[in-house]
Amino acid sequence: MSTPPSAEPPAIELDAPAAPTLPASRGVRVGYLIAGLAFTALGIIGAFLPLMPTTIFLILAAGCFGRSSPRLEAWLLNHPRFGPSVRAWRANGAIPRKAKVFACLGMAGGMAVFLLAARPKPWLGLLVGAIMAGCAAFVVSRPTPPAA
C-alpha cells in the first residue's frame, strides 16, 4: 500500500537554524551555565590583558549559553562589542582580518616570551613552535566575514 502524497512529511528547510534544545537534566544545564559564565569572565579578562584571547572564550561561552540559558546567549550574540565576532564565527567560521593579525602577533609574542623566559631545550622549542605555527595557519586559513 502506498502513502498518499498529502501524508508525506514536510520538507525540512536547510537554511533555517535548528531550534535550540536544552538538556533534560537540570544539573547538565547548570554545568553549562557555570562553564558559560567562566568563559565569559575569561573573555572579558582577555579584552584587557595582552596575549590572552577574547573571542575564543566568548565563542565557547555562547555555545554553553545555547545549552543552558537562551537569554544569556542572546545577550552575548547581541553585545555591541563582542557579538559581531561570535556571530561571524557561527555563521561562516569567519575571523575578521584585524583579529587574524592580532592573533598571529600574539602567538609570535607568546613564542618569544616562551623562548626567552623558559630557555627550552631545542626539541621543545621546535615542538612548541610547530604547534604555534599550526594554530596560526588555522587562524589565517579561516574566511574573512563579508562586509556588513
Side-chain angles (χ1 to χ4, degrees):
M1 184 189 293
S2 67
T3 308
S6 61
E8 291 180 17
I12 298 172
E13 280 188 56
L14 296 178
D15 294 335
T21 56
L22 300 177
S25 168
R26 181 182 173 136
V28 172
R29 283 195 313 270
V30 169
Y32 276 121
L33 179 64
I34 291 169
L37 293 171
F39 286 135
T40 301
L42 289 171
I44 291 171
I45 291 168
F48 297 101
L49 289 180
L51 301 180
M52 185 163 168
T54 298
T55 305
I56 187 62
F57 288 124
L58 296 177
I59 289 169
L60 291 169
C64 289
F65 289 150
R67 290 166 180 80
S68 63
S69 172
R71 184 176 58 88
L72 288 174
E73 178 189 29
W75 170 80
L76 187 56
L77 292 174
N78 294 317
H79 191 277
R81 174 87 173 125
F82 304 124
S85 295
V86 177
R87 288 192 310 268
W89 178 260
R90 274 196 174 177
N92 309 338
I95 301 174
R97 189 176 320 277
K98 184 177 175 182
K100 290 180 188 185
V101 170
F102 281 121
C104 290
L105 287 174
M107 285 185 252
M111 185 67 192
V113 168
F114 170 69
L115 291 174
L116 294 172
R119 299 200 185 270
K121 295 188 182 209
W123 68 267
L124 183 58
L126 289 172
L127 176 65
V128 172
I131 292 169
M132 290 274 199
C135 292
F138 175 79
V139 167
V140 170
S141 72
R142 300 296 88 210
T144 303

